[in-house]
Amino acid sequence: MVIGGGFFLVFAIIGIGSLVLAILTAVDASKYPEWAFEQTGTTKFVWQILPIVLLFVCGIAGGIMGLIWYSSKRDAVARAAQAGGQPPYGYGAPPGWTPPSQPPSYPPPSYPPPTPPPPNPPAEPPSGSPQ
């Protein structure tokens, strides 16, 4: 009977440890910018979402991803984030690029508005009036 209890205790410790490690991996990966992940050849999605998904699919796999993060990838991403520098292509205009010129458009309305037409000439005097 003691063998069964010890067996359960080992799996419980592994399961809880895997849960904690998967959550810590997702939280720790969220503090680095996306471009730092891309400079190291990975994506932020892999280290934020996948440990949690793998934890639910196969409990120990989330913990294994956490071990990989803390043993190898975290240091590389942290170095890339601290080095700063220019983000990879895709984050802004490439060197030497200038925006295209504006297409021709209608001229703005003139101000002040054009003068009104002259008034009609005075009507001719009525016929039959003395001149």
Side-chain angles (χ1 to χ4, degrees), residues 33-86:
E34 176 70 31
W35 56 265
F37 286 89
E38 290 179 2
Q39 286 182 350
T40 58
T42 186
T43 62
K44 196 171 189 175
F45 170 80
V46 169
W47 298 105
Q48 278 187 318
I49 305 299
L50 216 50
I52 304 299
V53 170
L54 288 177
L55 184 68
F56 287 107
V57 173
C58 175
I60 198 166
I64 291 173
M65 278 202 70
L67 289 174
I68 293 170
W69 169 255
Y70 282 106
S71 65
S72 66
K73 287 296 184 178
R74 179 178 182 234
D75 293 335
V77 172
R79 278 193 304 271
Q82 285 179 344
Q86 183 177 5

Side-chain angles (χ1 to χ4, degrees), residues 97-105:
W97 181 83
T98 58
S101 61
Q102 292 290 335
S105 62

Side-chain angles (χ1 to χ4, degrees), residues 10 16 29 37 56 59 61 74 80 85 91 98 103 115 119-120:
V10 168
I16 292 172
F37 286 89
F56 287 107
R74 179 178 182 234
Y91 290 91
T98 58
T115 59
N120 291 335

